[in-house]
Amino acid sequence: MKSPDPQNRELENAILLEQSGELTAAEREALHQTLDDRPELAAWARESQVLQKAGQAATEDLTPPLPELSRERILKAASQPTSKTLPRLLAVAAMLVLALGLLPHLSRRLQSPHPVFTTHIESVEVDFQDEDPLLDDLESLQDQLAVWSDMSLEDNRILEDENDWAEILLTLEEPI
Amino acid sequence: MENQPLENLLEQYRKGDIEALGRLVDETRRPLYGFIVGMVRDPHQAEDLFQDVWIRAIKGLHRYQSDRLLSWLFRIARNRIIDISRKRKPDASLQQPIGGTDSSNTLESVLPNFDQGPERHTSNRELALRIQQAVHALPLEQREVYLMRTEAHMPFKQIAGIQNVSINTSLARMQYAIKHLREALADDYASLNSLSRTP
């Protein structure tokens, strides 16, 4: 069974390729001629085939049939519209713009000379609600985002689609 | 499995025929599901993975340009299985060599023959379990090659493409898989070997 020398290994490769139908007629004939003179390799060929059939038979014997529900789920997933890539990309781009836009405001706030514990809470609240340019920026970006992605930020679909979006990013690793 | 009928069905699905997708799922069920079960061994997890692979394939269909749908599905399945196995702790017990002491079971008995009675079926099942355990004890890459050959009858050239290795590496992995299975099933092999000589 064991065939450590390189020549045998090449012949075993040829046997495997013959079993998978990847040899030309001429190569097949040459291999069969060789096997006539090499009974140990002919035995290896038979054993290899037996062990492959055994695995296949074991799967057939032990594997339960795939439930019909799986097929239905796949078809259901396929019938949902999947061309949401562009709006999603725009939404992500808008999020990045938003984050970059907020960064200077946030850093200014963090670098404020007034210690946090001395600030009057009520006045901060009023500032934030009525006059804060940060809020204006947020609103305008929110409007832009809604226009670009053709959907409202309040739309629950955005949250629902997060998983899908993550899946799309993951499958980008699997191109042909 | 022939590529062309699958590609034709895929083309029909791309034109909006959802039933063509149903037929595609049916056509790939045996090889793809068999491969996934062989890799993860848990039929429930395999079922989830089968769905997951197909849903990912559907969502990424616009990127598919090859004429080898099955290879593409196997590649997605393989990547998902690798992700899962990386998250999992190795199960030491699965790495032990398998070898039964009961040599009364033969390969012949495990080969599909559904006309046999229930007693015969039970012994089939015991041997099938030992074979499946031996397959599962193979190193991941060897198991992949072995299952792609046995479940999908995939040529080595295609297997090498999926594994992203040379064809010689895939062939070497298959040789090692056969060697390991031969050793693991040694106690059953006397019967298996005599069976293989039967014309």
Side-chain angles (χ1 to χ4, degrees), chain A residues 137-154:
Chain A
D137 286 352
L138 267 173
E139 281 172 0
S140 67
L141 282 166
Q142 186 178 11
D143 291 339
Q144 279 180 17
L145 179 63
V147 171
W148 288 348
S149 62
D150 197 27
M151 60 179 86
S152 164
L153 276 181
E154 284 78 33

Side-chain angles (χ1 to χ4, degrees), chain A residues 9 12-13 22 47 50-52 54-55 57 59-60 62 64 66-67 70-71 73 78 164 171 174 176, chain B residues 21-22 26 29-30 47 50-51 59 63 66 72 79 107 112 132 146 150-151 156-157 171 175 189 196:
Chain A
R9 207 166 286 164
E12 286 175 2
N13 280 351
E22 291 172 270
E47 288 169 357
V50 166
L51 287 166
Q52 290 178 59
T59 305
E60 282 178 16
L62 296 176
L66 186 70
S70 295
R71 185 185 194 269
R73 282 184 185 148
D164 294 345
T171 50
E174 297 158 354
I176 286 290
Chain B
L21 177 66
D26 292 340
R29 186 185 303 228
R30 174 68 183 84
E47 189 189 324
F50 180 84
Q51 286 175 39
K59 287 185 176 174
R63 290 193 305 275
S66 164
W72 189 48
N79 289 345
L107 177 64
Q132 208 176 53
Y146 178 81
T150 57
E151 300 302 321
F156 283 98
K157 193 179 171 189
L171 286 163
Q175 285 184 20
Y189 204 80
S196 70

Side-chain angles (χ1 to χ4, degrees), chain B residues 1-14:
Chain B
M1 182 174 290
E2 293 291 326
N3 286 330
Q4 204 49 47
L6 294 183
E7 296 303 323
N8 291 343
L9 284 170
L10 186 64
E11 196 50 41
Q12 287 175 40
Y13 167 59
R14 275 178 156 156

Side-chain angles (χ1 to χ4, degrees), chain B residues 77-93:
Chain B
R78 178 177 185 263
N79 289 345
R80 292 290 296 127
I81 291 163
I82 289 172
D83 287 346
I84 289 167
S85 65
R86 276 180 189 152
K87 288 174 191 165
R88 224 186 239 170
K89 288 180 183 174
D91 184 347
S93 66

Side-chain angles (χ1 to χ4, degrees), chain B residues 10-43:
Chain B
L10 186 64
E11 196 50 41
Q12 287 175 40
Y13 167 59
R14 275 178 156 156
K15 287 175 183 167
D17 180 0
I18 193 82
E19 270 311 305
L21 177 66
R23 290 201 294 280
L24 266 177
V25 172
D26 292 340
E27 289 290 326
T28 58
R29 186 185 303 228
R30 174 68 183 84
L32 184 60
Y33 184 56
F35 171 74
I36 296 172
V37 171
M39 293 300 291
V40 301
R41 217 164 65 149
D42 173 359

Side-chain angles (χ1 to χ4, degrees), chain B:
Chain B
M1 182 174 290
E2 293 291 326
N3 286 330
Q4 204 49 47
L6 294 183
E7 296 303 323
N8 291 343
L9 284 170
L10 186 64
E11 196 50 41
Q12 287 175 40
Y13 167 59
R14 275 178 156 156
K15 287 175 183 167
D17 180 0
I18 193 82
E19 270 311 305
L21 177 66
R23 290 201 294 280
L24 266 177
V25 172
D26 292 340
E27 289 290 326
T28 58
R29 186 185 303 228
R30 174 68 183 84
L32 184 60
Y33 184 56
F35 171 74
I36 296 172
V37 171
M39 293 300 291
V40 301
R41 217 164 65 149
D42 173 359
H44 298 295
Q45 193 183 14
E47 189 189 324
D48 289 344
L49 269 170
F50 180 84
Q51 286 175 39
D52 185 39
V53 167
W54 258 112
I55 290 168
R56 280 165 188 265
I58 291 162
K59 287 185 176 174
L61 201 55
H62 57 282
R63 290 193 305 275
Y64 171 70
Q65 290 172 343
S66 164
D67 59 350
R68 285 178 178 160
L69 179 68
L70 202 59
S71 286
W72 189 48
L73 293 171
F74 268 71
R75 194 189 292 260
I76 297 172
R78 178 177 185 263
N79 289 345
R80 292 290 296 127
I81 291 163
I82 289 172
D83 287 346
I84 289 167
S85 65
R86 276 180 189 152
K87 288 174 191 165
R88 224 186 239 170
K89 288 180 183 174
D91 184 347
S93 66
L94 295 179
Q95 304 306 319
Q96 302 302 313
I98 306 297
T101 51
D102 179 6
S103 59
S104 62
N105 293 323
T106 64
L107 177 64
E108 189 179 24
S109 69
V110 82
L111 290 172
N113 184 349
F114 299 107
D115 296 334
Q116 295 165 354
E119 289 165 12
R120 185 69 180 266
H121 183 74
T122 305
S123 65
N124 284 0
R125 196 176 165 78
E126 286 165 8
L127 181 56
L129 275 169
R130 286 202 295 280
I131 293 167
Q132 208 176 53
Q133 283 175 321
V135 170
H136 202 81
L138 293 172
L140 186 78
E141 291 85 1
Q142 293 173 28
R143 202 180 339 148
E144 280 176 356
V145 180
Y146 178 81
L147 289 168
M148 286 182 206
R149 275 296 302 138
T150 57
E151 300 302 321
H153 305 292
M154 213 172 256
F156 283 98
K157 193 179 171 189
Q158 229 167 305
I159 294 171
I162 292 171
Q163 289 194 316
N164 214 12
V165 294
S166 71
I167 190 167
N168 279 340
T169 302
S170 284
L171 286 163
R173 285 173 176 172
M174 186 66 173
Q175 285 184 20
Y176 280 116
I178 288 167
K179 177 178 174 284
H180 287 145
L181 289 176
R182 173 76 171 80
E183 288 166 2
L185 297 165
D187 289 340
D188 295 307
Y189 204 80
S191 311
L192 304 188
N193 206 23
S194 65
L195 171 73
S196 70
R197 290 200 188 97
T198 311

